[in-house]
Each structure stands twice: as structure tokens, then as C-alpha cells.
Amino acid sequence: MRTFDLAPLYRSTVGFDRLFSLVDQLAGHDGNVAGYPPYNIERTGENAYRISVAVAGFGENELNIEAKENTLTIRGEKQTKTADQKNETLYRGIAARTFERVFQLADYVHVSSASLEHGLLHVDLVREIPEAKKPRRIAIGNGNSHLVEAKAA
């Protein structure tokens, strides 16, 4: 029997968490995957998410965050030092290579803010469903239906 690994989809999408959690439970996957740079996707509220990317050694001017349609792209590129260095690096354990992480966002999910703290890049996302797309409760009457209350999903 052939098995399908959905981990690449799970780790690069935001807002589809209910669907992928259900699929992972059915498939028995734990979702642990390796990659550079490491990151976490957290749910911070009912319609709020946070992506935290470990970018130790990168400054704000070396990071680029771009949101386009349903795609969030985070790029990091270390600026090369042109001055002569007198220090010699004996061991390099902190990676400083160029990277690009792409996350697929669900409909109506957009970036609300981004911050760099203690070597972690935090990108906060929020899902705002337009009023026209939210479910409404309709009263049942004698041939005259009217809106009773609008209620968020």
C-alpha cells in the first residue's frame, strides 16, 4: 500500500489547520520535519496565528517579508562583510546562509504585524472573514423570511 506524506503541505499552510490536523490524526503522522530555518506555527486565538522563524544572526535589514495573494514569503540574505576581519572563525555553528520560506495562506488570512526579538522573527496573522461570507440565522415564518441575527462562525 502506498502512503502519502502531507507534511510539506502542513508545514507551509496557515489557516487550514483543522483540515490538516484531522488528516494527520487519520494518517498517524506527528508533523515533525527538518529544515532551515526552523519555525513554529501557533494558533494564538480563534482567528489569529503566529509564525515564529529562528533567524539567529540576521538583522532587520537582512530579512524580507512579502505577502502576495495567498502566499507569505520570508527571505533572509546575509550581507557580506567587505572590511578585513582580524578574527579567524574556528567553528561556525550559527548558520548564516541565504534562505527562503514560503507559506500558503488560507482565504481571508493576512499579515497583521511582524517583529524581530531575541533571534526569532514573529509574523502575526489574522483571519478576517467579510460580513457577506459569514453565516446568518434566518427565521422561519409564514412565507416571509427575514434576518434574525448575524453570527460569526
Side-chain angles (χ1 to χ4, degrees), residues 58-99:
F58 285 87
E60 288 182 25
N61 59 338
E62 299 169 323
L63 296 169
N64 182 27
I65 303 170
E66 180 180 304
K68 184 178 179 183
E69 296 176 4
N70 288 1
T71 304
L72 172 69
T73 305
I74 301 173
R75 288 185 191 91
E77 186 173 349
K78 282 301 269 184
Q79 297 176 354
T80 57
K81 294 182 181 179
T82 57
D84 293 331
Q85 282 189 328
K86 296 181 181 180
N87 297 336
E88 179 183 356
T89 303
L90 300 177
Y91 173 76
R92 184 171 307 272
I94 300 173
R97 61 183 182 251
T98 301
F99 69 88

